[in-house]
Amino acid sequence: MDNKIVFITGITGQDGSYLAELLLEKNYKVYGLIRRSSNINTQRIEHIFNNKNLILRYGDLTDGTCLINILSEIKNNHKDMEKLEIYNLAAQSHVKISFEIPEYTANADAFGTLKFLEAIRSCGLEKIARFYQASTSELYGLASHSGANILSETTPFYPRSPYGVAKLYSYWIVKNYRESYDMFACNGILFNHGGVRRGHNFIERKITLGLGKIVRGETDRLTVGNIDSKRDIGNSKDFVEGMWRMLQQDKPDDFVLATGVMHSIRELIEMAFKLKGFDICWKGEGLDEIGYDKNTGRELIFINEKYFRPAEVDWLLGDATKAKEILGWEPNTSIEELLGEMVEQDCK
Ligand code: NAP
Ligand code: G4F
């Protein structure tokens, strides 16, 4: 019986690459969706590219036909499969950019999920497929609206960006297909997670890459936006393990994955820079605020309006008790360890 078959969208992304690695180690046959791009976009999976159990197919979440074709191919190749795990990780995943391309973000991050669920039904795989949807803590958005001070599966949502709103549609359509068609479909409500494969324009990576450039003398500054927002940031490697655990349960459900520790962007900058001997202090206010090294007086951190969002998510702190109790999942990496690993790589 063929039960270790998986289809991953977003396999060239941060999470997709770690998940593919994890499942190849577990002897899965891994099908992955990749996008056509004008230049190579497979750097994160280069080291597993030639694995005989990795099969890549071109496609796009906005193209329902390609999803049907790939699912049909998988069904045909594995006629006796009793289970097909599907991880829908593909998305236009940048919150700030979603304000600039809201329509595309909705097509990929909202309707893409609907197309995928319908493709599963069209291929007659709704009783075989186990579907993981990459939901997000961005659903909580204006978290203080709920009166909560830590966010769990029962906290009401209030998204604050076209990205958050598109992901909210996906959250509900996954729940709806679970209830309407008895599909095994789960939402993983994941709080921020990064690491050495994190996209360069997300804040924790931007900080460690910027620090690296300063240390090597390639630039004299790091320019950022709102440093007072707060995030709960874990390790992508830990989080993909949680995704896999969700699809190994007897029944489908939704789970928060988070570390339960939150820091402001200001604190993340101070922590990362300290690892390279800088003692960052602040002077000035608002857009004129500057981070300088107390030891040398060197001005290093500057604020620029262009990195602010039209609507901000001020804080996100997650309560992963349900995942800990039911999935036996634990975040194994502290923010200090994560930044340490990133600073080491990015300052080489
Ligand atoms: P990422 O590094 O930005 O990767 C996104 C992946 O989606 C890439 O492989 C990208 O392909 C692919 N993609 C984008 N648009 C697509 C489309 N229209 N059709 C097909 N593929 C498309 O994101 P990540 O950090 O790994 O996150 C994985 C998922 O979790 C995303 O859905 C994200 O929204 C969600 N999420 C992330 C976090 C986090 O903190 N990392 C937290 C909560 C939820 P290219 O490589 O060709 O660009
Ligand atoms: O790193 P960010 O862009 O991540 P954000 O917006 O929290 O979204 C990430 O986490 C979500 C889960 O909560 C995912 F769903 C989503 O796909 C993505 O992975 O920004 C974090 C904070 C924001 O408050 C932002 O305003 O950092 C602030 N920030 C300040 N300066 C900056 C910058 N963000 C970016 N990207 N670049 C800056 O220069």
Side-chain angles (χ1 to χ4, degrees), residues 93-96 135-138 163 190-193 198 201-204 206 223-227 229-231 265 307-309 312-313 316:
S93 72
H94 202 282
V95 173
K96 165 92 170 39
S135 276
T136 161
S137 49
E138 274 291 307
Y163 168 81
L190 271 51
F191 283 64
N192 297 49
H193 48 278
R198 183 65 150 150
N201 55 359
F202 296 100
I203 192 64
E204 70 278 18
K206 185 170 167 179
T223 307
V224 294
N226 177 15
I227 53 174
S229 58
K230 296 176 177 163
R231 291 292 183 273
I265 307 309
Y307 296 114
F308 283 70
R309 286 122 200 242
E312 178 61 278
V313 171
L316 292 171

Side-chain angles (χ1 to χ4, degrees), residues 129-132 174-175 177-179 182-187 245-255 322 326-327:
R130 291 187 170 211
F131 189 83
Y132 172 89
V174 163
K175 228 173 159 75
Y177 273 50
R178 180 164 82 211
E179 292 168 3
D182 198 24
M183 286 175 72
F184 194 113
C186 304
N187 284 295
R245 288 184 182 222
M246 286 181 214
L247 295 198
Q248 312 312 311
Q249 302 304 301
D250 292 336
K251 62 181 183 61
D253 205 345
D254 305 326
F255 294 92
K322 182 175 168 186
I326 298 178
L327 307 178

Side-chain angles (χ1 to χ4, degrees), residues 88 109-119 169-170 173 177:
N88 185 28
D109 298 9
F111 298 133
T113 310
L114 174 66
K115 284 177 189 184
F116 210 156
L117 292 166
E118 275 302 311
Y169 175 88
S170 284
I173 203 71
Y177 273 50

Side-chain angles (χ1 to χ4, degrees), residues 5 11 26 45 58 97 104 120 123 131 146 165 212 243 249 255 281 288 292 303 316 318:
I5 319 293
I11 196 167
K26 291 184 188 291
I45 51 171
Y58 281 107
I97 294 171
Y104 171 73
I120 292 169
C123 293
F131 189 83
S146 66
V165 174
M243 296 175 189
Q249 302 304 301
F255 294 92
C281 293
D288 295 325
Y292 63 97
I303 310 292
L316 292 171

Side-chain angles (χ1 to χ4, degrees), residues 78-127:
H78 307 279
K79 293 202 169 63
D80 58 351
M81 81 181 158
E82 281 186 329
K83 184 174 86 164
L84 169 63
E85 291 180 30
I86 300 175
Y87 297 85
N88 185 28
L89 307 185
Q92 189 302 91
S93 72
H94 202 282
V95 173
K96 165 92 170 39
I97 294 171
S98 78
F99 286 96
E100 287 161 50
I101 47 170
E103 195 175 319
Y104 171 73
T105 303
N107 279 333
D109 298 9
F111 298 133
T113 310
L114 174 66
K115 284 177 189 184
F116 210 156
L117 292 166
E118 275 302 311
I120 292 169
R121 294 183 66 226
S122 302
C123 293
L125 287 167
E126 67 270 33
K127 293 285 174 267

Side-chain angles (χ1 to χ4, degrees), residues 325-345:
E325 286 179 2
I326 298 178
L327 307 178
W329 178 81
E330 285 290 339
N332 290 320
T333 317
S334 69
I335 185 68
E336 289 81 5
E337 288 167 331
L338 189 70
L339 283 177
E341 201 184 319
M342 293 169 72
V343 166
E344 193 185 323
Q345 171 171 300

